[in-house]
């Protein structure tokens, strides 16, 4: 086994360069007064350790964006559960010989470019859309930007809810349901007492897989609202700290660290609920 350890060296080097060093720089900036960064002019002598940046956590712009992000993500996640669970259950309990082909229909959009998907869905929910021009069906949500953001999130991240739930449902021993039926339970009671509790592991994994990108992303609100500051989410706020004409790497790094801690906490919850990682297979 030791002979194969040397083959892992390139992966460790990759992780150190593209994950470890950026994370270290992020921590460095978060606890410093350094606002800008350039590989050509960066000097460690300019570094000054401080907790001053932490006062920006109480910034109203950040708090509003963070609260808005959590609200949108929670609603989108609930919608994904309400839509995704019945779909996963139907596919799992169906008698189709090649049920994976049905599942493939929901997974296939994930193989396309995400920006293209978001732009297409956004167009379908706008005034001058493909549906209105060809089928004369208008779903114009241009004036309801919050609703539009939530719906786009739901459609984009729905496969991430369906897949883990379906995986768990497929692994449930069907003899449990049969035994429940033999004992006199009707199908509804068997579902509530057997299937639903055993599938909650997949639901929790699906919630994390939908909630995290929905809450922390910036692409969907940016495209849907065309950068409207009244609907700005935390991902957009962080992006502006690094890419605007006035960069604030220390503030952006601190906010990014908060998000990373949030993500790591969520992954820890998944690891405790699904120790074998079966919902991700």
């Amino acid at each position: 086994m030791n002979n194969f350890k040397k083959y892992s060296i390139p992966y460790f080097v990759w992780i150190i360069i593209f994950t470890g060093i950026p994370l270290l720089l992020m921590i460095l900036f978060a606890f410093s007064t350094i606002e800008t960064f350039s590989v050509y002019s960066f000097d460690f002598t300019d570094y000054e350790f401080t907790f001053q940046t932490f006062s920006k956590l109480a910034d109203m712009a950040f708090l509003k964006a963070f609260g808005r992000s959590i609200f949108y993500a929670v609603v989108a996640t609930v919608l994904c559960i309400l839509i995704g669970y019945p779909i996963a259950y139907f596919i799992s309990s169906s008698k189709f010989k090649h049920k994976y082909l049905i599942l493939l229909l929901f997974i296939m959009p994930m193989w396309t470019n995400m920006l293209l998907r978001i732009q297409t869905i956004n167009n379908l929910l706008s005034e001058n859309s493909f549906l209105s021009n060809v089928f004369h069906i208008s779903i114009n949500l241009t004036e309801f930007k919050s609703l539009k953001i939530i719906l786009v999130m739901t459609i984009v991240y729905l496969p991430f809810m369906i897949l883990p739930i379906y995986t768990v449902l497929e692994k449930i021993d069907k003899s449990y349901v049969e035994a429940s039926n033999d004992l006199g339970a009707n199908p509804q009671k068997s579902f509530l007492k057997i299937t639903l509790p055993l599938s909650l592991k997949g639901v929790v994994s699906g919630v994390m897989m939908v909630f995290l990108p929905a809450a922390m992303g910036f692409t969907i609100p940016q495209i849907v609202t065309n950068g409207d500051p009244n609907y700005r989410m935390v991902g957009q706020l962080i992006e502006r700290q690094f890419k605007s004409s006035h960069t604030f790497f220390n503030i952006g790094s601190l906010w990014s660290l908060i998000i990373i801690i949030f993500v790591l906490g969520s992954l820890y919850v998944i690891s405790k609920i699904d120790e074998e990682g079966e919902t991700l297979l």
Side-chain angles (χ1 to χ4, degrees):
M1 195 68 176
N2 293 331
N3 294 332
F4 292 97
K5 286 185 177 180
K6 60 182 179 181
Y7 295 110
S8 65
I9 294 176
Y11 298 99
F12 283 113
V13 174
W14 179 277
I15 290 174
I16 291 172
I17 294 176
F18 294 103
T19 302
I21 294 178
L23 184 59
L24 188 62
L25 286 173
M26 199 179 296
I27 296 172
L28 185 71
F29 290 134
F31 292 91
S32 75
T33 55
I34 300 173
E35 295 183 348
T36 59
F37 171 74
S38 171
V39 293
Y40 304 105
S41 60
F42 184 69
D43 188 356
F44 275 103
T45 58
D46 297 332
Y47 180 81
E48 182 180 341
F49 183 84
T50 180
F51 286 103
Q52 181 180 351
T53 314
F54 278 77
S55 62
K56 295 297 181 180
L57 291 178
D59 189 284
M60 283 306 299
F62 175 75
L63 293 177
K64 286 182 179 179
F66 191 81
R68 190 178 296 118
S69 300
I70 297 299
F71 174 72
Y72 289 168
V74 167
V75 177
T77 302
V78 171
L79 288 176
C80 282
I81 294 174
L82 295 177
I83 299 171
Y85 195 101
I87 292 174
Y89 181 79
F90 170 77
I91 298 174
S92 174
S93 59
S94 66
K95 303 299 182 181
F96 294 114
K97 184 178 180 181
H98 303 290
K99 60 178 67 176
Y100 286 103
L101 294 177
I102 304 176
L103 186 65
L104 190 63
L105 294 176
F106 294 95
I107 299 176
M108 279 181 65
M110 298 169 59
W111 299 348
T112 61
N113 184 278
M114 187 173 182
L115 289 175
L116 180 62
R117 275 187 291 147
I118 295 172
Q119 193 66 46
T120 302
I121 298 169
N122 180 51
N123 176 264
L124 292 176
L125 298 177
S126 301
E127 183 177 5
N128 188 25
S129 67
F130 171 80
L131 291 176
S132 61
N133 292 332
V134 178
F135 299 103
H136 304 290
I137 300 174
S138 179
I139 310 177
N140 184 17
L141 298 178
T142 305
E143 299 300 323
F144 306 95
K145 294 182 179 179
S146 293
L147 177 61
K148 199 175 183 183
I149 292 173
I150 292 171
L151 288 179
V152 174
M153 285 181 174
T154 303
I155 297 170
V156 170
Y157 297 121
L158 183 60
F160 293 100
M161 181 66 70
I162 295 174
L163 190 58
I165 295 176
Y166 169 80
T167 303
V168 171
L169 288 173
E170 273 293 289
K171 294 182 178 181
I172 294 177
D173 193 340
K174 299 299 186 286
S175 62
Y176 293 159
V177 178
E178 293 173 0
S180 176
N181 294 333
D182 291 340
L183 292 173
N186 56 37
Q188 292 77 18
K189 192 169 185 180
S190 296
F191 172 79
L192 293 174
K193 295 293 185 179
I194 305 296
T195 306
L196 183 60
L198 292 177
S199 64
L200 288 181
K201 187 185 295 186
V203 174
V204 173
S205 294
V207 166
M208 296 301 179
M209 292 172 69
V210 170
F211 179 79
L212 292 177
M216 309 312 166
F218 66 89
T219 310
I220 291 177
Q222 181 65 31
I223 292 177
V224 171
T225 68
N226 199 24
D228 191 333
N230 294 319
Y231 300 90
R232 189 169 288 155
M233 295 176 63
V234 68
Q236 293 172 280
L237 211 60
I238 292 174
E239 185 211 17
R240 290 184 72 250
Q241 303 303 316
F242 291 101
K243 296 182 66 176
S244 64
S245 57
H246 301 286
T247 56
F248 297 95
F249 275 51
N250 50 353
I251 299 174
S253 296
L254 178 62
W255 289 349
S256 299
L257 283 177
I258 299 299
I259 300 304
I260 289 174
I261 293 172
F262 194 79
V263 171
L264 291 177
S266 301
L267 293 176
Y268 176 77
V269 171
I270 292 179
S271 67
K272 288 299 181 182
I273 294 175
D274 184 14
E275 296 181 357
E276 298 178 357
E278 61 180 10
T279 60
L280 304 178
L281 295 178

